[in-house]
Amino acid sequence: MLSRKKLAVLTLAAIAGAAIIVTQTASSQGHAYKLEGAWTSAGGGVLGNMTVAPADPSGRRATAKVNWVTVGPTVAWLQAQVGADAATDGNVVVEMISRDSAKYTQLFYWVKTGCPSEIKMILIDSGIFRFTGPDSAVIQNAFAGYLPSRDVNGDGLPDDLENPPDLGPFPGSSVFTRIPLLP
């Protein structure tokens, strides 16, 4: 029969052993990134700023707002072909699908500016956002355009996304960098 002292020591040793196994298993899977913060995005002459706000405490789902600073020569040419001269901010929904990757969908518009501005194309961009470090990420994406006439109910989205787009899809990639807090 074990004494209380020996039983307590064996119990503590078992708890310590279990704790080591659990912590080693968790650390071997690596750090899980959270969707949050302010970022810059650059690729193909396109420059944007993105603000990501978590939609749940775990940081696995988020919404974001993208402000397009420049669209680059290729996108500017495409905009001109449909009579647009600007891109609106993008609204994004995003969800983590692994510890370092998330899928996203973004909605924005190409417009002919004026009072009021006229929507020339509804753009839907989707892809994978992959963290390459705590303050860096890359995306692989494709964006496609839909004529405003495909939004019959007027909610800002094409009503028939199962049909091919009117423009694209155009594959692309961008590099994202978290904006640092300076001292």
Side-chain angles (χ1 to χ4, degrees):
M1 178 121 190
L2 294 175
S3 70
R4 285 186 179 208
K5 187 175 184 179
K6 286 182 182 178
L7 187 58
V9 169
L10 285 173
T11 302
L12 288 174
I15 291 170
I20 289 171
I21 290 169
V22 168
T23 57
Q24 290 302 311
T25 302
S27 67
S28 69
Q29 293 175 355
H31 175 73
Y33 296 98
K34 287 188 175 183
L35 297 166
E36 59 191 8
W39 298 77
T40 64
S41 166
V46 177
L47 178 65
N49 293 312
M50 179 174 71
T51 304
V52 182
D56 67 1
S58 72
R60 295 194 52 79
R61 291 179 317 167
T63 59
K65 179 69 89 172
V66 177
N67 170 261
W68 298 109
V69 179
T70 63
V71 296
T74 303
V75 174
W77 182 85
L78 285 169
Q79 284 180 335
Q81 299 309 299
V82 298
D85 60 10
T88 66
D89 290 349
N91 286 302
V92 184
V93 293
V94 59
E95 184 174 351
M96 295 296 292
I97 56 174
S98 72
R99 68 172 195 77
D100 68 351
S101 299
K103 63 181 178 178
Y104 76 91
T105 301
Q106 175 183 195
L107 171 70
F108 62 104
Y109 306 91
W110 287 346
V111 297
K112 174 72 174 162
T113 55
C115 190
S117 294
E118 180 185 354
I119 296 173
K120 294 294 189 173
M121 190 67 66
I122 303 167
L123 285 300
I124 297 181
D125 171 40
S126 62
I128 300 295
F129 182 94
R130 186 176 53 80
F131 286 92
T132 56
D135 298 321
S136 59
V138 295
I139 65 164
Q140 294 296 315
N141 68 314
F143 76 91
Y146 301 83
L147 292 170
S149 60
R150 292 181 62 178
D151 178 21
V152 176
N153 67 4
D155 66 358
L157 291 166
D159 299 324
D160 59 349
L161 285 171
E162 67 278 357
N163 292 321
D166 299 304
L167 185 68
F170 299 103
S173 62
S174 295
V175 174
F176 282 74
T177 305
R178 194 182 304 269
I179 299 171
L181 180 63
L182 298 177

